[in-house]
Structures are given as structure tokens and as C-alpha cells.
């Protein structure tokens, strides 16, 4: 079996009992950074007897096959990254895809996630969100990237290096508008945890002094009545196919990030 195990973001007290048990009981541990994993185990007072091998972005393709072989041979393979959940902007998803191809069971030890922690702390809408990972590093690519996301109505979550966070926020302000609300979260769960909320323009000015791990949460683009009206024909078509009008409106609204009552009323008016 393959076990994807979430590790603390920075506070060792967030290590779950299941994580501790999996590390102690593993037959093989694949770690993004073997030294960090052994350091964590030492701080947690764990006696790890399993071999610990490196599994990171530079050897992910090559190493995944050997991890699958180990699982097929009856070993319990525990996969951990430096912090948070494996496969979320970290190695892991290729291994899971390969495991599915070879019918190798995969389970998860849930736990800390910078994505969800930042979303919860942001004060922005959390019912629909998109994790976008790290934005492009080059200025031109970054501007085009954010321009393509300017109409995204879901709350957006990004990781960024403290060295580039100011330039990234400035590019966001240019593409999304300086008054778009956002939250800049740094050093989550650590001693110097800090969350700054404000407009993109305000956060750009403040970000010059940012240090540590950074997660940026940005409000989605506002949805207009015209956006809802554009989806009325689909709602009516679903209703004509036998779905209740209210259910059809709720289905389309949920997929498109619209207000279901507004879409329902528009469809009702259009039906006459």
C-alpha cells in the first residue's frame, strides 16, 4: 500500500497520532528531504526503523516505479513532503496515478495544508476556490497568466517566494484591479504567523518587508447579472429535459459560481 501522509507546516504539535503511527510502522518511507524527515522524527521522539529514501521533484519519475514495486511486494510505503500534504504542489500525484494503473491501494493520512489554512484565515469566500500553485517567475509570462485569470469568479490561492511576492502582487493588481480584496498569509502555524488583509494595492505596498513562507489568497471576480443571463438557455434546456427548474438553476449556478436564486428568477422570467 502507498500512504500519503501530511506533515506539520511548522508547528510540531500538529503531527497527528496517525502520522506518528505510520512513520513508526512503515516498511519504507519516501521523503522529499530525508534530513528534514529524520529531524522531524527526532523532535517527535519517534524511533523509525524503516529505510528512508529521497523522493522529490528531480527524481519523481524515476523513483515512482521503485515505490510501486515495493508496494506490490507487500511493503507499506509512506510518502511525506517537507510540509503539508503530498501531491499538493509537491511530489505525489504521479505516484498515485501510477498506483492506479497497477491496482496498488493508496490511502491518505489527512492533516495540515497551507492551502486550506490560508483560505480559512483570509476572510474571503470559501465555498468555491481554485488552488493555482506558484505563478510564473518571468514578468511577461506572469502578466499573461494573471490576465487570463482576471474573470475567474472563484477565490484563488497561490504560493509564492518572499523574494517575488511584491512583484507578484503588483502584477495581480494590474490584472485584477488594485481594489480587489486579498490576504497575504505568512509563516502559517509558526511563531511569527501573520495575516494581512486588504486590497491588492495595499498588500503590494506592505509586501516589501515580507519574510518566510507565503500564501496569497485573492478574491474572485464579481459575477454580474449579464453573466447569469448567459446561462439561462442552459437552465431552460435542462428543465425541458425533465429537471425541475429550481434544480436546473442550482446545478448550473453551482458549476459556474453564480447565485442560484438569481439564476432561477431569470429563468422563471424568461419562461414567462
Amino acid at each position: 500500500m502507498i500512504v500519503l501522509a501530511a506533515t506539520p507546516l511548522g508547528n510540531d504539535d500538529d503531527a497527528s497520532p496517525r502520522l506518528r503511527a505510520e512513520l513508526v510502522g512503515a516498511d519504507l518511507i519516501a521523503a522529499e528531504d530525508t534530513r528534514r524527515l529524520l529531524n522531524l522524527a527526532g523532535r517527535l521522539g519517534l524511533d523509525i526503523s524503516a529505510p528512508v529514501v529521497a523522493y522529490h521533484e528531480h527524481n519523481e519519475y524515476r523513483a515512482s516505479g521503485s515505490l510501486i514495486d515495493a508496494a506490490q511486494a507487500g511493503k507499506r510505503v509512506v510518502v511525506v513532503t517537507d510540509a503539508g500534504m503530498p501531491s499538493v504542489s509537491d511530489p505525489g500525484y504521479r505516484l498515485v496515478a501510477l498506483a492506479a494503473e497497477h491496482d496498488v491501494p493508496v490511502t491518505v493520512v489527512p492533516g495540515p495544508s497551507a492551502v486550506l489554512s490560508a483560505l480559512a484565515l483570509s476572510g474571503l469566500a470559501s465555498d468555491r476556490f481554485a488552488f493555482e500553485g506558484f505563478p510564473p517567475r518571468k514578468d511577461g509570462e506572469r502578466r499573461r497568466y494573471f490576465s487570463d485569470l482576471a474573470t475567474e469568479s472563484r477565490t484563488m490561492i497561490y504560493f509564492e517566494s518572499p523574494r517575488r511576492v511584491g512583484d507578484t502582487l503588483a502584477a495581480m493588481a494590474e490584472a485584477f484591479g488594485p481594489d480587489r480584496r486579498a490576504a497575504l498569509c505568512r509563516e502559517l502555524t509558526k511563531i511569527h504567523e501573520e495575516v494581512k488583509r486588504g486590497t491588492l494595492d495595499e498588500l503590494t505596498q506592505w509586501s516589501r518587508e515580507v519574510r518566510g513562507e507565503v500564501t496569497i489568497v485573492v478574491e474572485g471576480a464579481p459575477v454580474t447579472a449579464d453573466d447569469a443571463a448567459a446561462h439561462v438557455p442552459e437552465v431552460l434546456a435542462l428543465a425541458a429535459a425533465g429537471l425541475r427548474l429550481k434544480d436546473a438553476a442550482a446545478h448550473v449556478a453551482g458549476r459556474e459560481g453564480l447565485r442560484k436564486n438569481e439564476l432561477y428568477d431569470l429563468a422563471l422570467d424568461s419562461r414567462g
Side-chain angles (χ1 to χ4, degrees):
M1 174 175 282
I2 302 291
V3 181
L4 304 179
T7 54
L9 302 178
N11 189 328
D12 291 346
D13 289 340
D14 291 334
S16 69
R18 279 192 64 199
L19 170 64
R20 296 166 185 262
E22 289 290 353
L23 291 176
V24 170
D27 298 308
L28 176 65
I29 299 174
E32 185 178 11
D33 186 315
T34 57
R35 290 172 300 179
R36 287 196 182 189
L37 183 277
L38 293 173
N39 194 318
L40 173 65
R43 296 196 308 273
L44 296 177
L46 304 180
D47 182 14
I48 292 181
S49 59
V52 180
V53 299
Y55 184 63
H56 46 69
E57 62 177 336
H58 302 298
N59 75 346
E60 188 174 1
Y61 283 105
R62 174 169 46 84
S64 292
S66 62
L67 297 181
I68 293 297
D69 290 342
Q72 288 179 319
K75 294 181 182 293
R76 192 171 185 87
V77 180
V78 177
V79 180
V80 294
T81 58
D82 290 347
M85 177 59 66
S87 81
V88 180
S89 199
D90 275 323
Y93 86 88
R94 291 185 179 90
L95 177 62
V96 175
L98 194 61
E101 291 178 14
H102 290 82
D103 293 324
V104 172
V106 180
T107 190
V108 64
V109 177
S113 165
V115 175
L116 296 181
S117 298
L119 177 65
L121 289 170
S122 70
L124 300 173
S126 58
D127 54 339
R128 298 181 74 248
F129 63 91
F131 172 58
E132 295 290 338
F134 283 89
R137 297 186 179 189
K138 296 182 179 179
D139 290 342
E141 293 178 5
R142 188 164 48 204
R143 284 195 295 269
R144 288 190 293 273
Y145 172 76
F146 288 135
S147 178
D148 289 342
L149 290 171
T151 59
E152 172 60 67
S153 61
R154 294 173 294 182
T155 299
M156 295 169 282
I157 305 168
Y158 304 86
F159 288 161
E160 188 52 288
S161 159
R163 297 188 303 275
R164 294 188 295 273
V165 67
D167 292 336
T168 291
L169 285 167
M172 288 177 172
E174 180 182 350
F176 302 156
D179 295 328
R180 183 81 71 89
R181 293 189 302 157
L184 196 158
C185 310
R186 73 177 195 91
E187 296 292 85
L188 289 171
T189 77
K190 301 177 184 178
I191 294 175
H192 299 294
E193 175 180 284
E194 187 173 20
V195 179
K196 287 285 188 179
R197 305 175 186 86
T199 65
L200 286 172
D201 185 56
E202 291 168 342
L203 293 180
T204 300
Q205 302 304 316
W206 177 80
S207 67
R208 305 303 176 184
E209 303 175 0
V210 167
R211 298 289 185 273
E213 300 290 333
V214 175
T215 306
I216 304 171
V217 187
V218 184
E219 181 181 42
V223 178
T224 67
D226 289 342
D227 293 329
H231 294 282
V232 167
E234 181 182 2
V235 173
L236 295 177
L238 290 172
L243 201 62
R244 290 177 57 219
L245 187 64
K246 183 166 289 188
D247 293 336
H251 169 74
V252 175
R255 188 193 67 209
E256 300 296 332
L258 305 170
R259 294 186 178 87
K260 62 182 179 181
N261 289 339
E262 180 181 5
L263 186 56
Y264 172 72
D265 289 341
L266 288 171
L268 198 61
D269 292 341
S270 179
R271 179 187 263 184

